[in-house]
Amino acid sequence: MNNIDDDDDDDQLYVKCRLGAFMCLLVCFVIVLALASCRYWSKHGSGFPNILSLLGTLARIFGGRTPSVYGGQMTLMQALVNPNQDEFSFLAREGAASLLNAYTLQNFAYSPEEVRLRFNSALVTPESAYKQAVDFRQANIAV
């Protein structure tokens, strides 16, 4: 009978170890996801590439149709921390993070120019803004 109890203890220990390893991997995954996200960039503004800090506003950084949607005053940091939940705010947050990632990460999915083009192309409708924001988010968390 002791052998059965020992086997149960071993099984429980194995399950606890596997669960602990899984939780550790999950925490590491969440940390990696946060590194290139809107949240990361909103807390690390000093890491902005100089050119983006100098340009300042979304209108100047993205150009094109951006001023007609966001006005001329919204900054990159304001876009990153914008709490609004509409499609264009979602695009502003993810697009800003994508542009920062494009400038700072060699292996990012898009070049800075591609981010600008995709961002401007998405400003036509709320649906296109949402779709592009989702694409940017996927690229942001893939790094």
Side-chain angles (χ1 to χ4, degrees), residues 27-128:
V27 168
C28 290
F29 179 71
V30 168
I31 290 169
V32 168
L33 285 181
L35 287 179
S37 69
C38 301
R39 175 177 246 165
Y40 171 83
W41 284 113
S42 69
K43 297 193 182 309
H44 295 87
S46 62
F48 285 15
N50 287 339
I51 187 69
L52 296 180
S53 295
L54 293 174
L55 293 175
T57 66
L58 286 187
R60 290 186 70 188
I61 293 168
F62 286 102
R65 301 176 59 133
T66 306
S68 66
V69 176
Y70 300 102
Q73 301 303 312
M74 183 182 282
T75 66
L76 204 57
M77 182 60 80
Q78 288 170 332
L80 289 167
V81 298
N82 185 343
N84 296 335
Q85 297 301 310
D86 63 282
E87 293 86 348
F88 291 107
S89 295
F90 183 32
L91 177 63
R93 281 189 301 274
E94 296 300 329
S98 287
L99 188 63
L100 289 163
N101 289 332
Y103 272 109
T104 58
L105 301 172
Q106 272 187 339
N107 64 337
F108 192 64
Y110 306 113
S111 70
E113 189 56 32
E114 287 175 308
V115 173
R116 284 188 189 94
L117 290 171
R118 290 171 179 268
F119 186 92
N120 274 293
S121 295
L123 294 175
V124 179
T125 66
E127 294 79 18
S128 61

